[in-house]
Amino acid sequence: MSKGVKGSGGKSRAAETPQDVESSPTDSRADRLRVRAAWMYFIEQMTQNDIAEVLGVGRVTVVRMLAEARLRNEVKIAIEGDLSDIVRQERALEQKFGVQRAIVAPLSGEGADPIPTIGAATGAYLSEAMKSGMSVGVGWGRTLTGTLPFVSGKPLSDFRVISLLGGVGVARRTNPAEFAWRFAQAFQGDGYLIPAPAVVDSVETKRALIERCGLSEVFALADKLDAVLVSVGDIASASTFYRGGFLTEAEREKLAAKGAVGDLLFHFFDRDGNLVDHPINQLGMSVDVDRILRAPLRILTSGGADKIDALLGAMKLVRPTVLITDEHSAKRMIEAPR
């Protein structure tokens, strides 16, 4: 008879509010990891060694988690509880897109704003993933700014944060300079910015800024990143760039006509993850995709009904190792044709 997995105590921790998660982050993460291990062992019939490799823990830890799952009465005949649904989605995303880890954040309804719940999940993950000696490249936007309240800061030595994109002329909530330095500040690290507009008027201007104004040193830091943290914008609605006046309506329509579904660091791409043939892709003061792909840890965090095509394209463009999204976006991504 097959066995199943359900959340402890009859209540899924994944269904808690951000405030609840913030108040007991250790328990929530331990519960999630334990249920993931039980799911892989009892449902997917994976070996304990394979589970240890996927979760990044020792085999002894897997044995302990499986034993604890039994003691907590979490292994049942049927699969029950919201947490099991979340774990199912995470495993489906990992298998379909080849990511090392998928984190799916619960959302109250399809019409709810996914940014707060994605921000909470991303902040919790970053709090554990950031280590001393790391160089982390970051993008900017509403989603990334939404992670800051949920990042549990700690002092890290030799920790560097490099902004992967230029800034804006008007201070705003999604100012890249603010996100980069606040993220670096949370871990008492150093922040490196690109002191230039996010978009310039010509390739010549871009080249001059990099070669003659000292920006080459900042761009060189992106050659040796340990991790990147990025989100995506969609082309159909008023994305950060569109709202900020970086794109005219005529340019947006031309990009859409060429198949663009979204942008990542002002690189506009189609659903197959290919950069579209448009001059504007050469004008962004941002680190190119090749540099992003060199980072061993690539974190993509984003979600929303209007970003599904952009997410699907970004999965092929940057091949993230970690994907963080909400449960409704996860469902659409899983159901989307290859």
Side-chain angles (χ1 to χ4, degrees):
M1 181 178 295
S2 63
K3 299 178 181 179
V5 182
K6 81 168 188 175
S8 62
K11 177 184 177 182
S12 165
R13 286 189 176 272
E16 294 176 344
T17 64
Q19 291 82 1
D20 294 330
V21 174
E22 187 178 23
S23 64
S24 57
T26 303
D27 290 343
S28 179
R29 290 191 288 269
D31 289 351
R32 176 187 288 272
L33 198 65
R34 185 179 62 253
V35 174
R36 281 171 62 87
W39 177 278
M40 293 183 214
Y41 186 77
F42 292 109
I43 304 300
E44 298 186 33
Q45 302 295 303
M46 293 174 62
T47 67
Q48 294 175 355
N49 286 334
D50 288 340
I51 295 171
E53 183 176 353
V54 171
L55 298 182
V57 299
R59 182 179 178 276
V60 174
T61 300
V62 173
V63 173
R64 177 183 56 77
M65 288 191 295
L66 294 175
E68 185 176 357
R70 295 188 187 97
L71 289 175
R72 287 171 173 261
N73 204 29
E74 290 171 337
V75 178
K76 294 293 185 180
I77 299 300
I79 302 173
E80 301 174 355
D82 294 336
L83 186 55
S84 292
D85 293 334
I86 294 293
V87 171
R88 182 187 295 109
Q89 287 185 324
E90 290 174 341
R91 293 299 295 152
L93 288 169
E94 290 166 354
Q95 293 171 353
K96 180 173 181 177
F97 296 102
V99 295
Q100 295 177 10
R101 182 176 180 186
I103 299 174
V104 175
L107 193 61
S108 59
E110 291 196 36
D113 183 3
I115 288 181
T117 187
I118 293 175
T122 305
Y125 172 79
L126 294 172
S127 299
E128 289 190 338
M130 299 298 98
K131 307 294 182 183
S132 293
M134 291 184 72
S135 292
V136 184
V138 300
W140 55 285
R142 288 183 61 227
T143 301
L144 295 188
T145 301
T147 69
L148 292 172
F150 302 98
V151 173
S152 298
K154 55 186 175 183
L156 297 178
S157 60
D158 192 26
F159 185 79
R160 298 187 294 181
V161 176
I162 298 95
S163 182
L164 301 176
L165 180 63
V168 295
V170 180
R172 61 181 66 214
R173 184 174 57 180
T174 51
N175 191 323
E178 182 182 5
F179 173 74
W181 76 257
R182 287 182 62 187
F183 186 66
Q185 188 180 49
F187 300 101
Q188 298 183 21
D190 297 323
Y192 297 82
L193 308 178
I194 298 178
V199 185
V200 294
D201 60 351
S202 68
V203 175
E204 290 74 19
T205 299
K206 179 176 180 178
R207 186 181 299 114
L209 286 170
I210 294 175
E211 296 177 356
R212 303 174 189 173
C213 299
L215 298 188
S216 58
E217 297 178 6
V218 180
F219 276 81
L221 292 173
D223 287 330
K224 298 180 180 179
L225 294 174
D226 299 295
V228 294
L229 171 64
V230 293
S231 60
V232 296
D234 67 286
I235 194 67
S237 65
S239 66
T240 301
F241 280 112
Y242 188 39
R243 285 198 312 269
F246 294 107
L247 274 182
T248 66
E249 176 61 19
E251 288 171 329
R252 189 194 69 82
E253 290 179 353
K254 288 180 180 179
L255 283 164
K258 287 181 174 291
V261 295
D263 81 277
L264 184 144
L265 301 177
F266 214 65
H267 300 297
F268 290 88
F269 56 87
D270 62 22
R271 199 173 187 273
D272 293 324
N274 301 313
L275 296 180
V276 299
D277 182 16
H278 191 283
I280 204 164
N281 267 341
Q282 308 301 321
L283 303 180
M285 292 299 299
S286 61
V287 171
D288 58 49
V289 175
D290 288 341
R291 281 191 170 106
I292 296 172
L293 290 172
R294 295 173 193 169
L297 176 60
R298 301 182 297 279
I299 307 160
L300 174 61
T301 174
S302 208
D306 53 351
K307 291 188 177 182
I308 303 306
D309 284 342
L311 276 167
L312 292 171
M315 297 300 292
K316 299 178 181 179
L317 179 67
V318 296
R319 301 194 296 275
T321 58
V322 176
L323 170 66
I324 306 175
T325 190
D326 66 276
E327 60 180 311
H328 297 297
S329 297
K331 180 176 183 294
R332 291 185 177 93
M333 293 178 69
I334 293 167
E335 294 175 349
R338 290 185 179 276

